[in-house]
Amino acid sequence: MEQKTKVHAENGPQEITVTRTFDLPVELLFKAYTKPELVEQWMGNTVIKLENKPHGSYRFEKKDSNGQVVFSAHGTIHDLKENQLITRTFEMDNAGFPAQLEFLEFGSIDDSKSHLNIKMVFRSVEDRDNMLKLPFAYGLNMAHSQLQTIMEKLKQ
């Protein structure tokens, strides 16, 4: 099955580039990233905090059926321009990865299509390569496909 979310890393720079075209207007794509109730649906995590403003912060977590936290992540939002960009840090708790810097750029292709370009900058090439050893691309594709499905219902 084709993975619609493309993950690319060149030899040398400590960066990952992620690109995806959605069959959604850019306004709906941006909402999917900024409305807590929508983030929870497509990411499958609980949004503890999501302050969509410069110098805001966020925290997500996922618990197993016994109530134990199995995933948590947090970061700071450095810049946010509606339907255009989010600049933020991202760090998984207890995963051994240092914080990374993420530039999310949202753009309109036409009234019904949009694109998302994400540039992730890691502390080192080693950190980036360790992230790529995880099922990162697979998980991101699943999440973005879920985002498309959920937001598709809001188009109607």
Side-chain angles (χ1 to χ4, degrees), residues 49-51 55-60 73-78 88-93 99-100:
K49 178 168 60 169
L50 180 54
E51 299 173 315
H55 310 292
S57 62
Y58 66 93
R59 174 170 277 292
F60 307 141
H74 66 278
T76 300
I77 296 171
H78 292 260
R88 67 184 185 188
T89 60
F90 175 87
E91 185 171 9
M92 289 187 284
D93 299 324
Q100 64 202 47

Side-chain angles (χ1 to χ4, degrees), residues 32-45:
Y33 270 84
T34 56
K35 299 294 181 197
E37 65 276 11
L38 297 173
V39 172
E40 287 184 343
Q41 289 180 51
W42 67 267
M43 285 187 67
N45 297 321

Side-chain angles (χ1 to χ4, degrees), residues 70-73 90-98 130-131 134:
V70 294
F71 168 81
S72 62
F90 175 87
E91 185 171 9
M92 289 187 284
D93 299 324
N94 304 316
F97 289 96
N130 285 334
M131 178 64 77
L134 300 174

